[in-house]
Amino acid sequence: MTPLLVEVEVDGVMRRLSVDRQENGCVVLLDERTIPVDIYEPMPGVLSLVIGGRSYRCVRSAMMDEETIAVGARQYRVAVTDRRSLRGQRKRPGAGNGALQIKASMPGRVARVLVTQGDTVRAHQGVVVIEAMKMQNELKAPREGRVKELRVAAGDKVASGQVLAVIE
Amino acid sequence: MTPLLVEVEVDGVMRRLSVDRQENGCVVLLDERTIPVDIYEPMPGVLSLVIGGRSYRCVRSAMMDEETIAVGARQYRVAVTDRRSLRGQRKRPGAGNGALQIKASMPGRVARVLVTQGDTVRAHQGVVVIEAMKMQNELKAPREGRVKELRVAAGDKVASGQVLAVIE
Amino acid sequence: MPSLRKILIANRGEIALRLLRACRELGISPVAVYSDADRGALHVQHADEAYRLGPAPSIDSYLRADRILEIARKCGADAIHPGYGFLSENAEFAEACTAAGITFIGPPASAMRELGSKTRARAAADRARMPRTPGSVRGLTSPEEALTLAKEIGYPVMLKAAAGGGGKGMRAIRSSEELPSALIAASDEAARAFGSGEVYLEKLIERPRHIEIQLLADQHGNVVYLGERECSVQRRHQKVIEEAPSPVVGAELRRRMGEAACRLAREAGYVNASTVEFLVDEAQNFYFLEVNTRLQVEHAVSELVTGVDLVHLQIAIAEGKPLPFTQEEIALRGHALEVRVYAEDPESGFLPSPGKITRLLRPGGPGIREDEGVYEGWDVPTEYDPMLSKLIAYAPDRATAIARLGCAIDEYVIGGIRTNLKLLRRILNDPDFQAARIDTSYLDRLLAKSAPENTEVTGDTAIADAATIAAVLFAAPAAASPTSQAQTPWQQDALQRGLHGGLRR
Amino acid sequence: MPSLRKILIANRGEIALRLLRACRELGISPVAVYSDADRGALHVQHADEAYRLGPAPSIDSYLRADRILEIARKCGADAIHPGYGFLSENAEFAEACTAAGITFIGPPASAMRELGSKTRARAAADRARMPRTPGSVRGLTSPEEALTLAKEIGYPVMLKAAAGGGGKGMRAIRSSEELPSALIAASDEAARAFGSGEVYLEKLIERPRHIEIQLLADQHGNVVYLGERECSVQRRHQKVIEEAPSPVVGAELRRRMGEAACRLAREAGYVNASTVEFLVDEAQNFYFLEVNTRLQVEHAVSELVTGVDLVHLQIAIAEGKPLPFTQEEIALRGHALEVRVYAEDPESGFLPSPGKITRLLRPGGPGIREDEGVYEGWDVPTEYDPMLSKLIAYAPDRATAIARLGCAIDEYVIGGIRTNLKLLRRILNDPDFQAARIDTSYLDRLLAKSAPENTEVTGDTAIADAATIAAVLFAAPAAASPTSQAQTPWQQDALQRGLHGGLRR
């Protein structure tokens, strides 16, 4: 069997692993250490790992385009990429200069739109206000730019993850 | 839409229903009463029914060839049949004269086999003893007959529902 | 009054389920009401009867007093329990229940009015010889009156809305220059929020603790206090963690606060459960803050340390029964802490995080109580308060209760939405919280500090390694379970597909 | 002795998780051990460390004292908690731990031996001036001796195995004719089960209640009792429901039983937690039965009424700390009941029902504690005791605790396997149980009566109608969810397929 080579971004740090499937688990090569891992999957989205005698219950949660792994009280934001498609992918918001989508972080209703198309916005300037659970929440531009598109108007219902505006 | 006609055996009593799907629920014709039913499925295997203002949480559990519906503390054994295939199907053990399978009611190990092939057995005579969870349990012939087949021997591991012997 | 047979629960979420359980335990049939967003909610599933109120917004559903009364009449309910929030402090609704011959499980409308207005309650506090912050006992009528009063009691002062709650119409004023314009702004805000622009002025207490007394009063004039709760861990005037007893209240202070609260209840002709809130300063002076004329969210911690069931007693009181114990028979034992589990993201400015709960693993074991309002598969609606559940720990002492609650949070898994569990864990780990060095601005101070990184907490990277490996195994399911779909040899190409499938699920 | 830092938990199931939680709360690192059947068990998932013992059978895993000690040494555990069952009452194991420099959380081996043999314990009871049933204090040596003794104390008498437990080697004898052959049979059975054929004879108490005293003894000679538990609801000498306090024990009887139990513990040089079991007759005479030199399954009900944590205290005692309270400081408050939830089918002769738990909905809310050992998706193994979970209710009084526990059982859903939940509910509903008219043969009498039919319970058929309709909707999923796969018009043919699919799933 060919070991799997992957790169994982964990809490913003990129890590390289090789994973080789074995009976009852796998052998991982991480940071030049060879780590045998005993694996049990009690239910979908939950993995019990025993590594060198230490036991970890790892729970996956996917929210919008983000994935976290919780181990006890600790939560890690992770993003797994295969090696070939690594470059140019999963760029973090605000990191580059391309067009950037502002998405609703929760379902709700558009209370106000604070900009108009063509406006220049500063980083962290409010763009759209969403109301949900009795609270108003201002979604901000992650970096400076120009409002290329405005896809919602006051009063619109929006779904979680829906694109509200595009900054370029 | 054509209403669905079904027969259900509930705790041994055969009942006939017609079910007509509507928005947010259905209309049931049962015992010559027309019953509007509001339906919500919070998770697979669980139904919340509101019937005439009364609320029922109904939980399905399937064990071996038996199905139960639990409503609060009450459990009902149910068997749904469509009308065409009703006759001759789902005959209860001991009710007829055909060949009859004795199945393991739980996973375990065969402790003893109490009969040999060709033996005549009385109703309720012990046939096989299964050991599980530190307890020995004797599986009995549901009616008199002859041991047509014996499919296990002492020491065998058996799965739940596995056929151990056939009585004819 | 005969025993109640059927109670309509005019609420939703965890409190509806908690009330429903109490009804069942007492052999009373619980009736649920629900909005369109709540047809699948736990309180509907578990009720004996359930009736639709209307569309999701509260104003069209849980605030529809007329619909609720109509349903109660039609289904033959002989009482209504309003829970907290919604109609629970609405005197008109209490009156309408009484007029319809339906028992309102709460105080008489008159007592609710007397104590519901903060200015009237302050006047009642004076009659009950209860310490309060220096300041007005009626609404301010002019900026001049405000300036004179403020000078008299000394800056800093607080402007507050008489009908207020939740921090609206509230302003801290540190000098006379700020006062006139703040008065106008506060009054405007109060008028918009509560339909009354009445504001009053009181001395601002620096770094106060929020400590409140739980009261029970029956219809026969018996009033008792069941100790205090400390609720100093707040954000924007919303309580986050509550505990009983308060780590700073001794027997003598408890007795003085409790007796003062009982006097106020008697003064107002109060019946049923209520809470008298106080601010306590660093010198252990206590000042009357306001009265909540209903069951509190945080009532569970009092139940655990006193051993009583407040909802059972609310119902008994409504049935006309006398309290089953005297003040002398009430003893506190052990320590209880409650955390409010919210669907919100503390790391993004506490944005609400409604949505589908894809995984729910609840803690259990000794000393753990959960008053839950959600289940795995439930879609948390956007229309209501984002509280999912109350997680409560009881133990012989405060340190053990904190440790126990922390462990329960570690066990708790809520997947698919963001929650404040990690923040709650951080508070419980905080040395200041553990040493009870808290006041109402404690949480703001904690939040101003940056949260410790995962690696700082442990000092080793093994847990991060496990998370890293788990992330890969989740993304490539074949790696996790050799007996699942991918029994074919482990191949690079298949895995690339696995990775994508895993990520995009 | 320094504080413990790492404890190996030599057990499985709910007690392993309960012990593990206690360790975490105390800041002690818990280490799990597991058989091949338990790799996916909760106690493995939640431990800090986990080590494989061996194949599934207990004799190859949880009874492997050598493996467990080796693991403890290798991982640096400074103590072992044995839980109940398995190695918990094995004096050789306790000695081996001590020899290896690892603290055994339990009594010294000497006290375990002194009280573990029933005949030696009876002799110790005499020295401690503790009432016991008339009969022998050493093993019978001949049928003649047995006949003489039986005549002396009067029939009916009981034959019991000195090393016994769980009803093995036990015989009720009503006349001298039965005695000689029964003696041989009992001795043979005892020899096979326990490796010792020693049997003794005692007076049979008619319709006794099983009432036991919880003890704690520290290393400094302090011994206290934490009230009693009544465990009269039994089947084949296995407890099914336990409660504290006993509904028939008043303050005076409690004091007499408690003090007698403390005397016995002192007599035997006992340290740590133990339980002294008694039979109590209808005239409230109490007779020493036996001592359990370990934590009991039913310890939780004592914790709830006394407000202490017995496992925390076991650990503190093992660390050499003195008890943190005196006898006078221990007070009972409220009432607690526990039911043992088993994977067994009471309707088919209590056949075990292992298998996969396909749905698990756990109860919650006020006064409910669950010490759980399973989760949704867990495959209950065939190799061990079929207890899934302990469900415990606390309330101010017995009637409320019974009602509360009944409601919790109604909420509890365990799908995919058969359980005794329905029988537990039936007991809680039974007027005799509610009136505390119970003794150790109560449950056999109840089981001899036929269970009430579903319709008898309610008197109406509406619930059966709902179940009937639900059965059809489950069988034809399209009927339940119009927005699911079958969005096409409701058609006879599609439904026939749906029906079959539903049934055969």
Side-chain angles (χ1 to χ4, degrees), chain C residues 17-18 21 25 303 362 368-372 390 392, chain D residues 362-369 392 394 404 411:
Chain C
L17 188 61
R18 191 260 175 273
R21 283 170 168 153
E25 288 161 5
E303 293 182 326
R362 294 165 52 201
I368 294 301
R369 163 174 168 182
E370 190 187 1
D371 283 11
E372 81 278 24
K390 299 182 321 202
I392 308 135
Chain D
R362 294 167 51 200
I368 295 301
R369 163 174 167 181
I392 307 136
Y394 174 83
R404 178 164 278 172
E411 285 184 21

PDB file of all heavy atoms in Angstrom, chain C residues 17-18 21 25 303 362 368-372 390 392, chain D residues 362-369 392 394 404 411:
ATOM      1  N   LEU C  17     -39.383  22.697  28.686  1.00  0.00           N
ATOM      2  CA  LEU C  17     -39.177  21.279  29.011  1.00  0.00           C
ATOM      3  C   LEU C  17     -39.054  21.079  30.520  1.00  0.00           C
ATOM      4  O   LEU C  17     -39.603  20.131  31.081  1.00  0.00           O
ATOM      5  CB  LEU C  17     -37.903  20.769  28.311  1.00  0.00           C
ATOM      6  CG  LEU C  17     -37.668  19.268  28.390  1.00  0.00           C
ATOM      7  CD1 LEU C  17     -38.807  18.502  27.735  1.00  0.00           C
ATOM      8  CD2 LEU C  17     -36.351  18.895  27.727  1.00  0.00           C
ATOM      9  N   ARG C  18     -38.365  21.999  31.178  1.00  0.00           N
ATOM     10  CA  ARG C  18     -38.197  21.882  32.625  1.00  0.00           C
ATOM     11  C   ARG C  18     -39.561  21.966  33.339  1.00  0.00           C
ATOM     12  O   ARG C  18     -39.837  21.217  34.288  1.00  0.00           O
ATOM     13  CB  ARG C  18     -37.255  22.992  33.116  1.00  0.00           C
ATOM     14  CG  ARG C  18     -36.781  22.856  34.542  1.00  0.00           C
ATOM     15  CD  ARG C  18     -37.576  23.744  35.473  1.00  0.00           C
ATOM     16  NE  ARG C  18     -37.193  23.537  36.875  1.00  0.00           N
ATOM     17  CZ  ARG C  18     -37.746  22.602  37.646  1.00  0.00           C
ATOM     18  NH1 ARG C  18     -38.675  21.784  37.158  1.00  0.00           N
ATOM     19  NH2 ARG C  18     -37.390  22.471  38.919  1.00  0.00           N
ATOM     20  N   ARG C  21     -41.583  18.764  32.665  1.00  0.00           N
ATOM     21  CA  ARG C  21     -41.154  17.641  33.508  1.00  0.00           C
ATOM     22  C   ARG C  21     -41.746  17.770  34.909  1.00  0.00           C
ATOM     23  O   ARG C  21     -42.171  16.792  35.513  1.00  0.00           O
ATOM     24  CB  ARG C  21     -39.626  17.599  33.577  1.00  0.00           C
ATOM     25  CG  ARG C  21     -38.990  17.019  32.328  1.00  0.00           C
ATOM     26  CD  ARG C  21     -37.475  17.210  32.318  1.00  0.00           C
ATOM     27  NE  ARG C  21     -36.845  16.407  31.277  1.00  0.00           N
ATOM     28  CZ  ARG C  21     -35.698  16.721  30.682  1.00  0.00           C
ATOM     29  NH1 ARG C  21     -35.048  17.829  31.009  1.00  0.00           N
ATOM     30  NH2 ARG C  21     -35.196  15.932  29.747  1.00  0.00           N
ATOM     31  N   GLU C  25     -44.196  15.057  36.823  1.00  0.00           N
ATOM     32  CA  GLU C  25     -43.838  14.482  38.124  1.00  0.00           C
ATOM     33  C   GLU C  25     -44.949  14.652  39.143  1.00  0.00           C
ATOM     34  O   GLU C  25     -45.093  13.856  40.062  1.00  0.00           O
ATOM     35  CB  GLU C  25     -42.558  15.159  38.642  1.00  0.00           C
ATOM     36  CG  GLU C  25     -41.322  14.731  37.874  1.00  0.00           C
ATOM     37  CD  GLU C  25     -40.157  15.686  38.042  1.00  0.00           C
ATOM     38  OE1 GLU C  25     -40.263  16.653  38.828  1.00  0.00           O
ATOM     39  OE2 GLU C  25     -39.131  15.480  37.377  1.00  0.00           O
ATOM     40  N   GLU C 303     -31.996  25.393  43.772  1.00  0.00           N
ATOM     41  CA  GLU C 303     -32.609  24.093  44.036  1.00  0.00           C
ATOM     42  C   GLU C 303     -31.573  23.096  44.529  1.00  0.00           C
ATOM     43  O   GLU C 303     -31.830  22.316  45.460  1.00  0.00           O
ATOM     44  CB  GLU C 303     -33.275  23.563  42.765  1.00  0.00           C
ATOM     45  CG  GLU C 303     -34.470  24.397  42.336  1.00  0.00           C
ATOM     46  CD  GLU C 303     -35.175  23.858  41.096  1.00  0.00           C
ATOM     47  OE1 GLU C 303     -34.489  23.295  40.218  1.00  0.00           O
ATOM     48  OE2 GLU C 303     -36.394  24.003  41.002  1.00  0.00           O
ATOM     49  N   ARG C 362     -23.981  14.591  25.227  1.00  0.00           N
ATOM     50  CA  ARG C 362     -24.227  15.289  26.481  1.00  0.00           C
ATOM     51  C   ARG C 362     -23.429  14.672  27.624  1.00  0.00           C
ATOM     52  O   ARG C 362     -23.270  13.473  27.686  1.00  0.00           O
ATOM     53  CB  ARG C 362     -25.724  15.251  26.800  1.00  0.00           C
ATOM     54  CG  ARG C 362     -26.564  16.033  25.796  1.00  0.00           C
ATOM     55  CD  ARG C 362     -28.044  15.681  25.928  1.00  0.00           C
ATOM     56  NE  ARG C 362     -28.464  15.812  27.297  1.00  0.00           N
ATOM     57  CZ  ARG C 362     -29.541  15.225  27.807  1.00  0.00           C
ATOM     58  NH1 ARG C 362     -30.303  14.467  27.053  1.00  0.00           N
ATOM     59  NH2 ARG C 362     -29.869  15.396  29.059  1.00  0.00           N
ATOM     60  N   ILE C 368     -24.071  16.247  37.966  1.00  0.00           N
ATOM     61  CA  ILE C 368     -24.314  16.998  36.739  1.00  0.00           C
ATOM     62  C   ILE C 368     -25.809  17.003  36.424  1.00  0.00           C
ATOM     63  O   ILE C 368     -26.460  15.969  36.372  1.00  0.00           O
ATOM     64  CB  ILE C 368     -23.539  16.380  35.550  1.00  0.00           C
ATOM     65  CG1 ILE C 368     -22.038  16.534  35.751  1.00  0.00           C
ATOM     66  CG2 ILE C 368     -23.960  17.044  34.224  1.00  0.00           C
ATOM     67  CD1 ILE C 368     -21.553  17.966  35.884  1.00  0.00           C
ATOM     68  N   ARG C 369     -26.349  18.187  36.261  1.00  0.00           N
ATOM     69  CA  ARG C 369     -27.737  18.353  35.835  1.00  0.00           C
ATOM     70  C   ARG C 369     -27.727  19.147  34.550  1.00  0.00           C
ATOM     71  O   ARG C 369     -27.034  20.143  34.442  1.00  0.00           O
ATOM     72  CB  ARG C 369     -28.530  19.097  36.910  1.00  0.00           C
ATOM     73  CG  ARG C 369     -29.860  19.680  36.423  1.00  0.00           C
ATOM     74  CD  ARG C 369     -30.650  20.271  37.587  1.00  0.00           C
ATOM     75  NE  ARG C 369     -31.772  21.072  37.104  1.00  0.00           N
ATOM     76  CZ  ARG C 369     -32.614  21.741  37.870  1.00  0.00           C
ATOM     77  NH1 ARG C 369     -32.455  21.698  39.192  1.00  0.00           N
ATOM     78  NH2 ARG C 369     -33.603  22.441  37.368  1.00  0.00           N
ATOM     79  N   GLU C 370     -28.480  18.673  33.583  1.00  0.00           N
ATOM     80  CA  GLU C 370     -28.631  19.483  32.382  1.00  0.00           C
ATOM     81  C   GLU C 370     -30.091  19.773  32.166  1.00  0.00           C
ATOM     82  O   GLU C 370     -30.917  18.875  32.084  1.00  0.00           O
ATOM     83  CB  GLU C 370     -28.046  18.783  31.148  1.00  0.00           C
ATOM     84  CG  GLU C 370     -28.003  19.748  29.980  1.00  0.00           C
ATOM     85  CD  GLU C 370     -27.590  19.126  28.663  1.00  0.00           C
ATOM     86  OE1 GLU C 370     -27.340  17.930  28.602  1.00  0.00           O
ATOM     87  OE2 GLU C 370     -27.561  19.890  27.668  1.00  0.00           O
ATOM     88  N   ASP C 371     -30.443  21.044  32.108  1.00  0.00           N
ATOM     89  CA  ASP C 371     -31.772  21.449  31.690  1.00  0.00           C
ATOM     90  C   ASP C 371     -31.612  21.819  30.222  1.00  0.00           C
ATOM     91  O   ASP C 371     -31.216  22.926  29.874  1.00  0.00           O
ATOM     92  CB  ASP C 371     -32.267  22.647  32.514  1.00  0.00           C
ATOM     93  CG  ASP C 371     -32.733  22.223  33.902  1.00  0.00           C
ATOM     94  OD1 ASP C 371     -32.476  21.074  34.288  1.00  0.00           O
ATOM     95  OD2 ASP C 371     -33.347  23.045  34.593  1.00  0.00           O
ATOM     96  N   GLU C 372     -31.931  20.843  29.356  1.00  0.00           N
ATOM     97  CA  GLU C 372     -31.597  21.003  27.955  1.00  0.00           C
ATOM     98  C   GLU C 372     -32.827  21.437  27.166  1.00  0.00           C
ATOM     99  O   GLU C 372     -33.950  21.148  27.533  1.00  0.00           O
ATOM    100  CB  GLU C 372     -31.024  19.695  27.393  1.00  0.00           C
ATOM    101  CG  GLU C 372     -32.055  18.644  27.007  1.00  0.00           C
ATOM    102  CD  GLU C 372     -32.572  17.811  28.168  1.00  0.00           C
ATOM    103  OE1 GLU C 372     -32.531  18.256  29.327  1.00  0.00           O
ATOM    104  OE2 GLU C 372     -33.062  16.696  27.900  1.00  0.00           O
ATOM    105  N   LYS C 390     -28.842  24.684  29.848  1.00  0.00           N
ATOM    106  CA  LYS C 390     -28.165  25.104  31.076  1.00  0.00           C
ATOM    107  C   LYS C 390     -27.460  23.883  31.641  1.00  0.00           C
ATOM    108  O   LYS C 390     -28.095  22.849  31.847  1.00  0.00           O
ATOM    109  CB  LYS C 390     -29.174  25.629  32.101  1.00  0.00           C
ATOM    110  CG  LYS C 390     -29.933  26.834  31.617  1.00  0.00           C
ATOM    111  CD  LYS C 390     -30.919  27.409  32.631  1.00  0.00           C
ATOM    112  CE  LYS C 390     -31.663  26.386  33.430  1.00  0.00           C
ATOM    113  NZ  LYS C 390     -32.936  26.947  33.988  1.00  0.00           N
ATOM    114  N   ILE C 392     -25.385  22.424  34.771  1.00  0.00           N
ATOM    115  CA  ILE C 392     -25.292  22.771  36.183  1.00  0.00           C
ATOM    116  C   ILE C 392     -24.503  21.672  36.910  1.00  0.00           C
ATOM    117  O   ILE C 392     -24.722  20.493  36.666  1.00  0.00           O
ATOM    118  CB  ILE C 392     -26.700  22.901  36.788  1.00  0.00           C
ATOM    119  CG1 ILE C 392     -27.566  23.845  35.932  1.00  0.00           C
ATOM    120  CG2 ILE C 392     -26.646  23.396  38.218  1.00  0.00           C
ATOM    121  CD1 ILE C 392     -28.949  23.364  35.661  1.00  0.00           C
TER     122      ILE C 392
ATOM    123  N   ARG D 362     -31.267  10.063  26.030  1.00  0.00           N
ATOM    124  CA  ARG D 362     -31.127  10.019  27.487  1.00  0.00           C
ATOM    125  C   ARG D 362     -31.991  11.065  28.166  1.00  0.00           C
ATOM    126  O   ARG D 362     -32.136  12.175  27.674  1.00  0.00           O
ATOM    127  CB  ARG D 362     -29.653  10.245  27.838  1.00  0.00           C
ATOM    128  CG  ARG D 362     -28.739   9.109  27.360  1.00  0.00           C
ATOM    129  CD  ARG D 362     -27.279   9.496  27.438  1.00  0.00           C
ATOM    130  NE  ARG D 362     -26.965  10.006  28.750  1.00  0.00           N
ATOM    131  CZ  ARG D 362     -25.915  10.767  29.022  1.00  0.00           C
ATOM    132  NH1 ARG D 362     -25.069  11.108  28.061  1.00  0.00           N
ATOM    133  NH2 ARG D 362     -25.700  11.197  30.230  1.00  0.00           N
ATOM    134  N   PRO D 363     -32.555  10.726  29.315  1.00  0.00           N
ATOM    135  CA  PRO D 363     -33.359  11.710  30.047  1.00  0.00           C
ATOM    136  C   PRO D 363     -32.472  12.755  30.699  1.00  0.00           C
ATOM    137  O   PRO D 363     -31.244  12.603  30.730  1.00  0.00           O
ATOM    138  CB  PRO D 363     -34.075  10.866  31.097  1.00  0.00           C
ATOM    139  CG  PRO D 363     -33.197   9.680  31.308  1.00  0.00           C
ATOM    140  CD  PRO D 363     -32.477   9.433  30.010  1.00  0.00           C
ATOM    141  N   GLY D 364     -33.053  13.813  31.195  1.00  0.00           N
ATOM    142  CA  GLY D 364     -32.288  14.873  31.834  1.00  0.00           C
ATOM    143  C   GLY D 364     -33.170  15.672  32.765  1.00  0.00           C
ATOM    144  O   GLY D 364     -34.257  15.222  33.119  1.00  0.00           O
ATOM    145  N   GLY D 365     -32.683  16.855  33.131  1.00  0.00           N
ATOM    146  CA  GLY D 365     -33.486  17.761  33.947  1.00  0.00           C
ATOM    147  C   GLY D 365     -33.269  17.596  35.442  1.00  0.00           C
ATOM    148  O   GLY D 365     -32.373  16.866  35.876  1.00  0.00           O
ATOM    149  N   PRO D 366     -34.086  18.305  36.235  1.00  0.00           N
ATOM    150  CA  PRO D 366     -33.896  18.369  37.682  1.00  0.00           C
ATOM    151  C   PRO D 366     -33.868  17.002  38.355  1.00  0.00           C
ATOM    152  O   PRO D 366     -34.721  16.154  38.087  1.00  0.00           O
ATOM    153  CB  PRO D 366     -35.128  19.147  38.168  1.00  0.00           C
ATOM    154  CG  PRO D 366     -35.570  19.932  36.988  1.00  0.00           C
ATOM    155  CD  PRO D 366     -35.221  19.112  35.793  1.00  0.00           C
ATOM    156  N   GLY D 367     -32.891  16.794  39.230  1.00  0.00           N
ATOM    157  CA  GLY D 367     -32.866  15.604  40.066  1.00  0.00           C
ATOM    158  C   GLY D 367     -32.504  14.315  39.363  1.00  0.00           C
ATOM    159  O   GLY D 367     -32.571  13.256  39.966  1.00  0.00           O
ATOM    160  N   ILE D 368     -32.141  14.383  38.106  1.00  0.00           N
ATOM    161  CA  ILE D 368     -31.811  13.165  37.361  1.00  0.00           C
ATOM    162  C   ILE D 368     -30.300  13.057  37.208  1.00  0.00           C
ATOM    163  O   ILE D 368     -29.644  13.972  36.727  1.00  0.00           O
ATOM    164  CB  ILE D 368     -32.485  13.166  35.976  1.00  0.00           C
ATOM    165  CG1 ILE D 368     -33.998  13.112  36.119  1.00  0.00           C
ATOM    166  CG2 ILE D 368     -31.992  11.973  35.129  1.00  0.00           C
ATOM    167  CD1 ILE D 368     -34.529  11.889  36.868  1.00  0.00           C
ATOM    168  N   ARG D 369     -29.768  11.930  37.629  1.00  0.00           N
ATOM    169  CA  ARG D 369     -28.349  11.630  37.421  1.00  0.00           C
ATOM    170  C   ARG D 369     -28.288  10.331  36.642  1.00  0.00           C
ATOM    171  O   ARG D 369     -28.990   9.385  36.946  1.00  0.00           O
ATOM    172  CB  ARG D 369     -27.651  11.472  38.765  1.00  0.00           C
ATOM    173  CG  ARG D 369     -26.299  10.759  38.701  1.00  0.00           C
ATOM    174  CD  ARG D 369     -25.599  10.764  40.055  1.00  0.00           C
ATOM    175  NE  ARG D 369     -24.476   9.839  40.079  1.00  0.00           N
ATOM    176  CZ  ARG D 369     -23.692   9.622  41.144  1.00  0.00           C
ATOM    177  NH1 ARG D 369     -23.916  10.284  42.259  1.00  0.00           N
ATOM    178  NH2 ARG D 369     -22.694   8.748  41.089  1.00  0.00           N
ATOM    179  N   ILE D 392     -30.700   7.455  38.165  1.00  0.00           N
ATOM    180  CA  ILE D 392     -30.896   7.787  39.567  1.00  0.00           C
ATOM    181  C   ILE D 392     -31.705   9.074  39.660  1.00  0.00           C
ATOM    182  O   ILE D 392     -31.451  10.022  38.923  1.00  0.00           O
ATOM    183  CB  ILE D 392     -29.521   7.975  40.261  1.00  0.00           C
ATOM    184  CG1 ILE D 392     -28.632   6.750  40.004  1.00  0.00           C
ATOM    185  CG2 ILE D 392     -29.691   8.203  41.755  1.00  0.00           C
ATOM    186  CD1 ILE D 392     -27.209   7.095  39.646  1.00  0.00           C
ATOM    187  N   TYR D 394     -33.312  12.046  42.368  1.00  0.00           N
ATOM    188  CA  TYR D 394     -33.314  12.641  43.698  1.00  0.00           C
ATOM    189  C   TYR D 394     -34.468  13.619  43.776  1.00  0.00           C
ATOM    190  O   TYR D 394     -34.743  14.339  42.804  1.00  0.00           O
ATOM    191  CB  TYR D 394     -31.990  13.384  43.939  1.00  0.00           C
ATOM    192  CG  TYR D 394     -31.977  14.153  45.228  1.00  0.00           C
ATOM    193  CD1 TYR D 394     -31.677  13.511  46.430  1.00  0.00           C
ATOM    194  CD2 TYR D 394     -32.303  15.506  45.274  1.00  0.00           C
ATOM    195  CE1 TYR D 394     -31.688  14.210  47.635  1.00  0.00           C
ATOM    196  CE2 TYR D 394     -32.317  16.206  46.474  1.00  0.00           C
ATOM    197  CZ  TYR D 394     -32.013  15.559  47.646  1.00  0.00           C
ATOM    198  OH  TYR D 394     -32.032  16.252  48.829  1.00  0.00           O
ATOM    199  N   ARG D 404     -40.481  11.109  39.642  1.00  0.00           N
ATOM    200  CA  ARG D 404     -39.421  11.684  38.801  1.00  0.00           C
ATOM    201  C   ARG D 404     -38.677  10.604  38.035  1.00  0.00           C
ATOM    202  O   ARG D 404     -38.405  10.741  36.839  1.00  0.00           O
ATOM    203  CB  ARG D 404     -38.476  12.463  39.718  1.00  0.00           C
ATOM    204  CG  ARG D 404     -37.312  13.089  39.043  1.00  0.00           C
ATOM    205  CD  ARG D 404     -36.678  14.136  39.940  1.00  0.00           C
ATOM    206  NE  ARG D 404     -37.407  15.400  39.850  1.00  0.00           N
ATOM    207  CZ  ARG D 404     -37.187  16.466  40.621  1.00  0.00           C
ATOM    208  NH1 ARG D 404     -36.271  16.411  41.579  1.00  0.00           N
ATOM    209  NH2 ARG D 404     -37.864  17.582  40.444  1.00  0.00           N
ATOM    210  N   GLU D 411     -38.902   9.001  29.314  1.00  0.00           N
ATOM    211  CA  GLU D 411     -38.146   9.768  28.315  1.00  0.00           C
ATOM    212  C   GLU D 411     -37.037   8.941  27.665  1.00  0.00           C
ATOM    213  O   GLU D 411     -36.586   9.249  26.569  1.00  0.00           O
ATOM    214  CB  GLU D 411     -37.462  10.976  28.981  1.00  0.00           C
ATOM    215  CG  GLU D 411     -38.389  12.114  29.330  1.00  0.00           C
ATOM    216  CD  GLU D 411     -37.602  13.295  29.888  1.00  0.00           C
ATOM    217  OE1 GLU D 411     -36.388  13.391  29.648  1.00  0.00           O
ATOM    218  OE2 GLU D 411     -38.214  14.122  30.577  1.00  0.00           O
TER     219      GLU D 411
END
